[in-house]
Amino acid sequence: MKKNLGVVQAVYPMPVLMVAAYDENETVNVMNAAWGMICNEDRIALFIDEDHKTTQNLLKTKAFTVSIADKAHMDVADFFGIATGNKMPDKFARTGYHATKSTFVNAPVIDEFPVVMECELAEVVETESFYCIVGKILNTAAEERVLSDQGKVDPAKLEALIFDQFAHGYYVSGEKVGKAWNAGAKLMK
């Protein structure tokens, strides 16, 4: 029997995404965003507040990067979520992390995170219920250490962080338990 829990954000897992953009002085700003998802073959949607420093920066530059946070960098990924660039102008510098300018868009690639999508601003969708930044993915880059023999990102090697909205924990993905578009194929007959 199920127990009623009231209004709970009961979507699990949620990604731990690092959204990065330059400000007007090309200073790097990064934020932690769990409310993001792929919304088309070459699009990513980020449901983030308009008042974030990173949001304001990417609206001005029309470019940003989205990195996948991993277990090895959990402390800094969490810091990027609890510190605000609106009150802490040296937020990125405090971490000692490094950024390289993307060759595809006017945005920083955070060197420490293993997978990054380099995006140009495609559109902003604002309704009464949400504010959404949609980016067109121009390139995805990954460290070789997280790639399979077939040259694809291997979730077991990536150790991507997963955010738990139930108890506010971080978990790591990686165990493969089946094959998509195959596990339910027997029910098609």
Side-chain angles (χ1 to χ4, degrees), residues 163-181:
F163 176 62
D164 150 35
Q165 293 198 110
F166 300 111
H168 302 146
Y170 290 119
Y171 295 82
V172 175
S173 71
E175 179 186 359
K176 184 175 182 177
V177 296
K179 180 132 177 80
W181 297 283

Side-chain angles (χ1 to χ4, degrees), residues 13-80:
M14 296 292 289
V16 179
L17 304 173
M18 301 293 103
V19 182
Y22 288 125
D23 71 5
E24 58 278 353
N25 301 313
E26 291 208 349
T27 300
V28 176
N29 190 262
V30 186
M31 68 174 285
N32 181 324
W35 293 18
M37 61 186 287
I38 295 298
C39 62
N40 203 330
E41 188 173 293
D42 65 347
R43 298 284 195 274
I44 186 166
L46 303 170
F47 298 91
I48 56 180
D49 290 335
E50 185 176 9
D51 63 344
H52 286 296
K53 177 70 171 162
T54 305
T55 305
Q56 290 304 307
N57 290 342
L58 71 83
L59 290 172
K60 289 175 188 166
T61 62
K62 310 264 189 269
F64 58 97
T65 60
V66 180
S67 297
I68 297 176
D70 62 339
K71 180 181 176 182
H73 303 99
M74 178 178 60
D75 56 344
V76 172
D78 189 60
F79 170 74
F80 286 145

Side-chain angles (χ1 to χ4, degrees), residues 3 5 11 32 40 49 62 67 77 89 126 147-148 159 187:
K3 179 180 176 184
L5 302 176
V11 174
N32 181 324
N40 203 330
D49 290 335
K62 310 264 189 269
S67 297
E126 186 173 4
L147 298 179
S148 68
E159 295 187 306
L187 297 171

Side-chain angles (χ1 to χ4, degrees), residues 28 30 80 92-93 95-101 108-113:
V28 176
V30 186
F80 286 145
F92 182 72
T95 67
Y97 275 27
H98 308 90
T100 305
K101 189 167 189 166
V109 172
I110 310 307
D111 297 339
E112 285 74 9
F113 295 116

